[in-house]
Amino acid sequence: MWVGGSLCIIALTTWEEFFTPLPGGWKYAAGLLFIWGGALAVVQSVRIGKWVPIAGAVARIVLLGFFLVSVVVYATRHGVHTLPAGDFAPTYAGFVALVPVLIFNYVGFELPSSAAEEMTNPKRDIPLSILRSGLAALLLYGGPILGILFVLPSERIGSLDGFIDACKAVFTVYGGSIAADGTVHLTGAGAVFGGVAAAGLIIGLLTSGVTWAMGAHRAQAVACADGAGPAWLGHISEKHGTPVRVNLLSAILASLLFILALNLTGGDGEKYFAAGLGLTICTTFISYVITFPSLAVLRRKYPSVPRPYSVPGGRLGVRLVSALATAFVAFTVVVLIWPGFGVGWFGTAGSAADALPASFAGQRLRYTLSQVVPLTLFVGIGLAFYAAGARTRREKG
């Protein structure tokens, strides 16, 4: 969902903004190349495949570091504008709009545990990697985004194309210009640096999907081996040590999603991005609605199992953390399917219609169908998988 949805369309939009348009079948070819390039990396063993996310991390660090320097140069040359304090005042409408993306930033840290058996000292390495990546993300993403907000008008960065254009505008300090209508044209060193940054962004997007898939696919394979799905999907390749069958199935589904979404949106990147991002977060969070309560359940059923990472506060602390986390992700699922849920209720300001993505303005039914129809399909597949695992569950007693 993530690779074939939002990651793929961001990569394609970046390519078209910085390099050349992708007319007709070229867009399909580029999207499928992006998806299957990632699949090839995921199939490899952790010993080999780990270099893909490492390369992506290096690319992001270099790219974002250079971009932050470029933002400072842009600000020095063109000045900065103040950010009105009123824009940051908390409102319910703002909370409903932002909570899905904010919480999405904090899920997935558990995925490295899926490959713990292939690590020398996971008890030490996993917490340290989470701490390091969290601090790096804060600096390398927070800094450039804050800089963009200071140097560019907010109305120019309110959409996918707008944000990429905003990033592109920063590189005009090396060569290029911004037309009165906001169109950015890079020349000379600006075009060179912009192209390198765009390539780095595309590589970063690809490796983000690969990193997530390396953990998620292992978890899926183990679940199938335990009877939550077809037993044949629980097979781990002896040659690669990876769940090749799950990897390939995931790539096939991502390809189908990409082709279907591109046709349903008529090639409209903004609609594709909005629907794909919402669906990606929603499907992820539905799994967490089930996962988070299991913390309290497993602590109660198996209190003596050694646990390298534990929630403080005893049973009360565990229940509190489980309840809060579950409530947040359940609420997120609701507001993703129905943006603006609760806006205008009980005296709150705003209109629920304003919470729709800009590309779906006035098209509530169409947006809702873009979420509900795929979710219904996925639930059906999940139930079919669970039924297919019945024999495995019986054999395991």
Side-chain angles (χ1 to χ4, degrees):
M1 286 302 305
W2 193 32
V3 173
S6 53
L7 289 186
C8 193
I9 194 60
I10 295 173
L12 295 182
T13 304
T14 300
W15 178 275
E16 292 187 315
E17 285 287 336
F18 281 87
F19 299 111
T20 181
L22 295 168
W26 286 106
K27 182 167 288 189
Y28 289 93
L32 292 174
L33 178 64
F34 181 87
I35 292 169
W36 284 94
L40 180 63
V42 176
V43 165
Q44 306 304 313
S45 65
V46 169
R47 182 175 58 85
I48 299 173
K50 69 179 182 181
W51 292 106
V52 175
I54 288 175
V58 172
R60 283 194 291 273
I61 290 172
V62 173
L63 167 64
L64 292 170
F66 176 66
F67 183 75
L68 182 57
V69 171
S70 301
V71 169
V72 173
V73 174
Y74 187 95
T76 303
R77 184 172 300 180
H78 299 281
V80 299
H81 59 80
T82 58
L83 299 176
D87 291 351
F88 296 91
T91 64
Y92 179 75
F95 174 75
V96 169
L98 292 177
V99 69
V101 178
L102 291 176
I103 298 179
F104 188 61
N105 287 329
Y106 294 100
V107 298
F109 282 122
E110 78 288 349
L111 282 172
S113 298
S114 300
E117 64 183 10
E118 300 178 61
M119 300 179 188
T120 303
N121 188 351
K123 182 177 180 179
R124 178 201 64 191
D125 294 342
I126 291 177
L128 283 176
S129 68
I130 292 174
L131 178 62
R132 286 194 296 262
S133 62
L135 291 174
L138 176 65
L139 295 173
L140 293 172
Y141 289 95
I145 290 173
L146 186 62
I148 288 174
L149 292 175
F150 271 117
V151 302
L152 294 171
S154 59
E155 61 269 14
R156 283 176 46 194
I157 55 178
S159 62
L160 174 60
D161 288 333
F163 184 77
I164 294 176
D165 271 338
C167 296
K168 190 176 180 181
V170 170
F171 291 107
T172 58
V173 297
Y174 305 112
S177 60
I178 305 175
D181 62 356
T183 302
V184 181
H185 180 63
L186 297 177
T187 59
V192 173
F193 288 140
V196 171
L201 174 59
I202 293 171
I203 293 172
L205 292 169
L206 179 63
T207 56
S208 293
V210 169
T211 305
W212 186 287
M214 288 175 71
H217 290 178
R218 282 169 170 77
Q220 182 67 60
V222 171
C224 289
D226 284 342
W232 62 272
L233 278 177
H235 175 74
I236 303 295
S237 168
E238 294 182 4
K239 179 180 180 180
H240 300 287
T242 58
V244 174
R245 294 174 182 176
V246 174
N247 295 338
L248 294 178
L249 178 62
S250 179
I252 291 171
L253 292 176
S255 301
L256 292 174
L257 169 71
F258 165 68
I259 294 171
L260 180 63
L262 208 57
N263 279 276
L264 290 178
T265 59
D268 187 333
E270 295 290 346
K271 281 190 173 180
Y272 188 156
F273 177 73
L277 181 62
L279 199 55
T280 298
I281 300 177
C282 196
T283 50
T284 303
F285 280 10
I286 287 175
S287 68
Y288 283 110
V289 170
I290 302 171
T291 301
F292 285 148
S294 67
L295 168 64
V297 174
L298 292 173
R299 285 290 182 87
R300 178 176 57 83
K301 286 187 174 181
Y302 308 102
S304 60
V305 173
R307 303 185 185 280
Y309 330 112
S310 59
V311 174
R315 184 169 293 182
L316 177 61
V318 165
R319 289 178 176 175
L320 179 62
V321 168
S322 290
L324 286 174
T326 303
F328 269 117
V329 294
F331 178 77
T332 299
V333 169
V334 173
V335 298
L336 282 169
I337 296 175
W338 191 266
F341 176 80
V343 174
W345 299 5
F346 310 112
T348 56
S351 169
D354 294 338
L356 282 168
S359 54
F360 283 93
Q363 302 178 40
R364 168 77 64 178
L365 177 60
R366 189 167 185 177
Y367 176 82
T368 303
L369 289 176
S370 76
Q371 306 298 300
V372 173
V373 172
L375 287 175
T376 303
L377 177 62
F378 297 152
V379 170
I381 293 174
L383 293 174
F385 270 30
Y386 189 74
R391 181 178 177 180
T392 303
R393 293 195 300 275
R394 288 195 301 268
E395 291 175 351
K396 288 181 175 289

